[in-house]
């Protein structure tokens, strides 16, 4: 059980049994992806995006710089979920497989929402 209360990022949708879903959630990268919501660590407590509030989602390749604005960049995969119409939450993964796993879990819970998947031909160098 989490130490602090779980808080929804959505203003329109809150899970009744978020703690049970959090306990059964699958660890994907540094995040927990459950059957009803995606959980991200924050302080204080854990925040989540309920799938009922999600309008669409996608995965895209990106990179983050190691030393500020200049220098080498680490390849990453961004999993973005849009919720409550105008808001979104990014989940950054090292591997494309992890981002696609999170997208697959979302698709299982909500097959009606549009999803875009990054091509499998891309590899992290």
């Amino acid at each position: 059980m989490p130490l602090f209360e779980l808080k929804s990022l959505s203003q329109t949708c809150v899970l009744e049994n978020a703690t049970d879903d959090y306990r059964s959630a699958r660890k994907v990268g540094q995040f927990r992806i459950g059957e009803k919501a995606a959980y991200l660590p924050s302080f204080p407590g854990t925040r989540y995006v309920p799938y009922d509030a999600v309008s669409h989602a996608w995965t895209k390749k990106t990179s983050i710089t190691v030393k500020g604005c200049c220098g080498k960049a680490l390849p990453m995969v961004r999993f973005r979920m849009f919720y409550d119409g105008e808001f979104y939450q990014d989940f950054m993964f090292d591997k494309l497989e992890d981002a696609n796993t999170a997208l697959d879990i979302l698709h299982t819970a909500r097959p009606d929402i549009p999803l875009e998947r990054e091509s499998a031909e891309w590899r992290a160098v």
Side-chain angles (χ1 to χ4, degrees):
M1 182 170 158
L3 184 59
F4 294 100
E5 181 181 343
L6 299 169
K7 293 185 181 181
S8 176
L9 289 175
S10 171
Q11 307 217 350
T12 60
C13 185
V14 177
L15 294 178
E16 292 179 13
N17 55 357
T19 304
D20 294 337
D21 188 51
Y22 179 81
R23 285 183 190 151
S24 65
R26 183 175 171 186
K27 185 92 164 138
V28 180
Q30 64 179 351
F31 307 104
R32 288 180 177 265
I33 308 296
E35 293 178 6
K36 298 179 181 179
Y39 301 89
L40 59 147
S42 66
F43 182 80
T46 301
R47 300 197 183 271
Y48 65 90
V49 179
Y51 298 151
D52 289 338
V54 175
S55 59
H56 63 285
W58 49 255
T59 58
K60 301 251 188 231
K61 63 182 177 179
T62 187
S63 62
I64 57 172
T65 58
V66 179
K67 297 180 180 179
C69 65
C70 303
K72 295 197 172 224
L74 297 173
M76 302 287 285
V77 180
R78 173 181 292 143
F79 170 52
R80 181 174 284 182
M81 289 194 299
F82 292 86
Y83 64 95
D84 287 352
E86 61 182 299
F87 302 107
Y88 65 87
Q89 178 62 47
D90 286 339
F91 296 83
M92 301 295 282
F93 294 100
D94 294 332
K95 301 177 193 171
L96 181 61
E97 296 82 27
D98 289 344
N100 284 333
T101 299
L103 199 63
D104 290 340
I105 293 170
L106 173 62
H107 180 68
T108 302
R110 293 280 313 275
D112 58 322
I113 63 173
L115 304 174
E116 291 180 43
R117 195 177 297 267
E118 182 67 38
S119 114
E121 297 158 7
W122 176 77
R123 290 185 275 138
V125 183

